[in-house]
Amino acid sequence: MLRGIHKASTNWLGKAIMACVLGLLVVSFAIWGIGDIFRGFGMSAAAKVGRTEISVEQLRQIYNDRLQQLSRQVGRPISLDQARALGIDRQVIGQVVAETALDEYARKLRLGLSDAEIAKRVMSDPSFQGISGQFDRGRFDAVIRQAGYTEPRYVAEQRRILLRQQIAETVAGGLAPPKTAVEAIHRYENEERTIEYVALDRAQAGDIPPPTPEALAKYFEERKASFRAPEYRKLAVLAVTPAEMAKWTVISDADAKRIYEERRSRYATPERRQVQQIVFPKVEEAQAAAERIAQGLSFEALAAERGLKDADIDLGTIARSAIIDRTVADAAFSLKEGEVSAPVQGRFGTALLRVLKVEPEQVRQYEQVAAEIKQEVALERAKAEVSSLRDKIEDSRASGDSLTETAQKLNLTSTTIDAVDRSGQRPDGVPVSGLPQGVDVLSAAFTTDVGIEVDPLQVEGGGFVWYEVLGITPSRERTLDEVKDEVEARWRNDEITTRLIAKTNAMLDKLQAGTPLKDVAAAEQLTVQTASGLKRGKPSEALSTQALDAVFRAGKGAPGTAQGDQPTRRIVFRLTDIVVPELDMNSDAAKRINDALRQAVSSDLIGQYVVKVEAEIGTNLNPSAISQVVGGSTN
């Protein structure tokens, strides 16, 4: 999800829409200013919305479920501290309160949905459809179980969601954004510009002599804070994950062969056939066609007579399970290669079938999958062992053992990192090795102190990482002698940047006075280049984001200057052409913008409506109880 948000917000339109969506979750709900004094409901409640009390345990379960869902989507666990830093706690609690308010309002309006309608919605959900395209009970159970739901809880949740959608559709359905707004956004996204420009880099800055000791000392003193040594921490880390433990779990050939036989179907590729089908609306037509084929008419000639092309009759090379109609599937898989069937009464009419090619079932032999089976079984057993080890590790730590002592006692391997900063580097600037993958140990380690026992971090896919701060080396000011090379390099870059800015400003003055760019460039022995098809938000190797911003702030024919892809590079340009895009309101681009605008406006309206509903129904929060759930202050 976070990758999706990041991707959606990389252009202007996406940023506007995401701002509206986040406003819906956080700002529009406005729950943090409502009922911030705990009163009027039970001490075990975290919030009261209308007549509904949300207990601490209910909120904790919802919050943990949402965090786990987000963790699965981004592919790594999200800790409570990270959730608070990202504002996820406020978003989730805002959603919970808003959803509860809408549920209360739905009851007040006496809205409802029949069990049959709920079942219809669930069974038509593509997420629960199997290979045949039909509702698959086994898949349904697996998907909702993975999401942390039981069937009754999932059905109840779907009922509430559908009722909320009815309310939202009533409030914001049928909105049509103004054509002018769609055209303006389309122009903003797709307007193209062309420039002629020259690029300046270190070579144009001239020779820069080394700084005098006095100049370097003065430069360092003025910027001493930026050269500080970071805080370093000494850490002990112990990772217990199924993947790591599976490496040391030995699975015998006897066990692997037994499991191979039990799961033999998993190692088989089912028989596949290339099937052709001609469907007739009436049984009599199919029977007459079958008789003609028996007398020598080819299948292709019959198809041609009915105006069918090869693509119209070819079902492809498929497995039995891929044919939706069971009767047709059974008939197709009973034919010999090249044989045409008798008329088959299928779900969509009476059909004649022909099998062009048969690909027999392929079963991978034990020798081919032995390593795969052993690894899979080792991982399964390791997952069970991880749970047992976690209890043993926690018992050892509770008895006063350090993390290193605990690892030695349980014959595990811990890692000691003598010094690491927040960015994961050692004092010599080399990245540390030995940190577990898939979990952010450093962020967590820099929020605690020496001797503090903290909860382990949970690793995606199972497993835990324990960490312990053994020592802290505070951040400190470094002397000039310690960082002299770094200071001198930065001083030189600043000198280059200063000279280039002065040179490009002088060139810009000449351009503004009417001197052609080619003459200005010739005086500096620079080559004029052309860049066309430039669009907002799409920098290239030659033109940085800063340069594009300057280009799109300029008027046609106007000169400008901007930083290149580094501070030590500059460009001087003249805008030579602007191409304004035309918009067909029936095009995919117009529909995309129209849909995005409608969604943004709808979100804003729904957000305002929810605020009104919350105020009408009454919302009170218990900050201290909420703090227990999210693991810290919510103020």
Side-chain angles (χ1 to χ4, degrees):
M1 183 190 75
L2 298 182
R3 285 195 300 270
I5 290 176
H6 175 73
K7 182 177 180 181
S9 61
T10 53
N11 56 46
W12 178 87
L13 177 62
K15 290 177 181 176
I17 294 169
M18 290 310 303
C20 289
V21 173
L22 292 177
L24 172 64
L25 294 177
V26 185
V27 180
S28 295
F29 290 161
I31 65 164
W32 298 105
I34 298 175
D36 57 351
I37 299 176
F38 174 73
R39 62 181 184 275
F41 49 102
M43 293 299 294
S44 64
K48 184 175 181 181
V49 183
R51 294 178 299 173
T52 301
E53 287 192 0
I54 304 172
S55 70
V56 172
E57 286 308 313
Q58 284 176 314
L59 185 60
R60 179 175 286 111
Q61 181 179 0
I62 294 170
Y63 187 62
N64 289 338
D65 285 348
R66 300 285 171 90
L67 280 189
Q68 288 175 11
Q69 290 168 8
L70 279 174
S71 296
R72 284 193 290 268
Q73 288 170 332
V74 302
R76 60 181 298 178
I78 299 175
S79 68
L80 294 178
D81 288 338
Q82 290 171 326
R84 289 197 302 276
L86 292 169
I88 294 173
D89 55 342
R90 291 174 178 263
Q91 293 179 29
V92 170
I93 293 168
Q95 284 179 288
V96 171
V97 171
E99 290 167 356
T100 306
L102 289 176
D103 294 342
E104 281 275 306
Y105 205 60
R107 284 192 288 271
K108 181 178 179 180
L109 297 176
R110 297 189 177 183
L111 299 179
L113 287 169
S114 68
D115 291 341
E117 180 63 21
I118 297 293
K120 178 182 175 183
R121 298 291 185 99
V122 171
M123 294 182 72
S124 63
D125 190 329
S127 301
F128 307 136
Q129 292 175 1
I131 297 176
S132 66
Q134 304 298 310
F135 176 75
D136 186 323
R137 177 70 198 205
R139 181 171 176 80
F140 169 76
D141 291 337
V143 170
I144 66 170
R145 184 169 58 250
Q146 185 178 12
Y149 285 97
T150 61
E151 181 180 338
R153 184 179 165 213
Y154 179 79
V155 171
E157 178 69 12
Q158 291 307 298
R159 189 186 302 277
R160 289 191 291 268
I161 289 173
L162 290 171
L163 290 175
R164 293 173 204 147
Q165 289 174 350
Q166 285 187 355
I167 296 174
E169 185 64 26
T170 302
V171 173
L175 290 173
K179 178 182 178 182
T180 304
V182 176
E183 290 175 336
I185 291 174
H186 178 69
R187 173 171 179 172
Y188 188 91
E189 286 188 334
N190 296 293
E191 179 184 301
E192 294 185 358
R193 297 194 169 198
T194 300
I195 62 170
E196 55 177 4
Y197 72 99
V198 293
L200 295 82
D201 57 21
R202 292 173 179 267
Q204 282 70 48
D207 293 332
I208 299 177
T212 64
E214 294 76 18
L216 194 63
K218 182 175 182 294
Y219 181 88
F220 173 70
E221 286 297 325
E222 292 172 349
R223 299 163 178 79
K224 186 177 288 187
S226 63
F227 295 101
R228 287 180 64 90
E231 176 183 315
Y232 290 99
R233 297 202 166 198
K234 183 177 182 179
L235 306 177
V237 180
L238 173 60
V240 177
T241 65
E244 185 63 29
M245 295 186 65
K247 296 178 183 178
W248 313 107
T249 303
V250 178
I251 307 298
S252 68
D253 280 328
D255 280 351
K257 287 178 179 178
R258 174 178 54 79
I259 291 166
Y260 171 77
E261 293 300 331
E262 292 174 355
R263 306 175 182 178
R264 191 182 186 89
S265 60
R266 292 174 52 178
Y267 309 109
T269 301
E271 177 185 325
R272 299 167 73 237
R273 296 184 168 210
Q274 184 179 357
V275 180
Q276 292 180 318
Q277 170 183 265
I278 299 177
V279 180
F280 300 84
K282 297 180 180 179
V283 176
E284 294 77 12
E285 291 183 32
Q287 290 173 338
E291 290 174 0
R292 294 179 63 199
I293 286 179
Q295 294 169 3
L297 180 69
S298 70
F299 203 78
E300 290 82 3
L302 177 62
E305 283 183 6
R306 305 185 68 81
L308 300 174
K309 299 178 181 178
D310 288 346
D312 299 325
I313 64 174
D314 191 5
L315 299 182
T317 303
I318 52 179
R320 181 193 294 263
S321 60
I323 301 177
I324 297 175
D325 194 317
R326 295 293 88 194
T327 304
V328 172
D330 291 342
F333 276 76
S334 65
L335 296 173
K336 297 177 181 177
E337 193 169 295
E339 186 179 2
V340 177
S341 72
V344 178
Q345 184 62 53
R347 185 185 303 177
F348 306 109
T350 304
L352 293 183
L353 307 170
R354 182 171 70 162
V355 173
L356 290 183
K357 183 174 64 176
V358 176
E359 295 180 0
E361 178 186 46
Q362 300 290 329
V363 180
R364 289 190 289 167
Q365 299 303 307
Y366 169 75
E367 290 73 20
Q368 296 174 281
V369 296
E372 177 185 332
I373 293 173
K374 289 181 179 180
Q375 183 178 3
E376 183 179 335
V377 175
L379 195 60
E380 291 172 0
R381 294 181 181 177
K383 286 180 179 179
E385 191 174 348
V386 163
S387 179
S388 173
L389 266 177
R390 179 190 180 183
D391 294 339
K392 293 177 181 178
I393 291 171
E394 289 297 312
D395 289 343
S396 177
R397 297 178 73 210
S399 69
D401 292 335
S402 68
L403 205 55
T404 303
E405 291 169 339
T406 297
Q408 291 173 347
K409 182 186 294 185
L410 297 175
N411 199 27
L412 300 172
T413 302
S414 64
T415 300
T416 299
I417 301 171
D418 290 325
V420 60
D421 66 14
R422 291 176 184 269
S423 67
Q425 293 187 327
R426 302 184 324 205
D428 59 4
V430 176
V432 298
S433 58
L435 286 174
Q437 299 298 309
V439 64
D440 192 352
V441 176
L442 292 181
S443 293
F446 273 83
T447 61
T448 185
D449 210 333
V450 176
I452 301 298
E453 185 176 317
V454 292
D455 292 333
L457 302 174
Q458 192 163 354
V459 180
E460 182 71 16
F464 303 89
V465 174
W466 287 263
Y467 61 94
E468 190 172 86
V469 179
L470 304 178
I472 298 176
T473 302
S475 173
R476 65 174 179 84
E477 289 187 352
R478 290 189 281 201
T479 66
L480 177 56
D481 288 340
E482 290 180 89
V483 290
K484 185 176 181 180
D485 291 344
E486 183 182 345
V487 174
E488 186 168 346
R490 198 178 301 181
W491 174 88
R492 184 174 299 278
N493 285 341
D494 285 357
E495 284 293 307
I496 292 171
T497 300
T498 300
R499 290 191 183 192
L500 290 182
I501 289 174
K503 186 178 285 289
T504 54
N505 285 342
M507 295 171 68
L508 184 61
D509 290 341
K510 294 179 181 179
L511 291 173
Q512 290 172 337
T515 305
L517 180 59
K518 64 178 182 178
D519 294 340
V520 174
E524 299 293 338
Q525 296 182 334
L526 296 170
T527 302
V528 177
Q529 302 178 67
T530 300
S532 59
L534 302 177
K535 288 187 177 183
R536 288 181 175 89
K538 294 185 178 180
S540 64
E541 185 175 344
L543 297 176
S544 65
T545 300
Q546 297 95 324
L548 274 182
D549 289 344
V551 168
F552 277 89
R553 286 196 302 268
K556 186 174 181 179
T561 181
Q563 178 182 308
D565 59 345
Q566 297 178 16
T568 54
R569 294 178 183 170
R570 305 280 299 178
I571 68 163
V572 177
F573 67 89
R574 186 187 296 278
L575 179 61
T576 58
D577 192 27
I578 299 175
V579 178
V580 178
E582 295 183 0
L583 177 63
D584 177 1
M585 293 303 292
N586 295 318
S587 67
D588 291 340
K591 291 176 182 177
R592 175 183 60 81
I593 296 171
N594 193 74
D595 290 344
L597 275 176
R598 183 169 58 249
Q599 180 181 350
V601 175
S602 297
S603 296
D604 188 50
L605 283 176
I606 293 168
Q608 294 179 43
Y609 182 78
V610 169
V611 172
K612 175 181 177 298
V613 169
E614 288 179 356
E616 182 178 328
I617 287 179
T619 300
N620 292 296
L621 303 179
N622 179 355
S624 61
I626 291 173
S627 181
Q628 294 177 31
V629 172
V630 302
S633 174
T634 58
N635 296 326

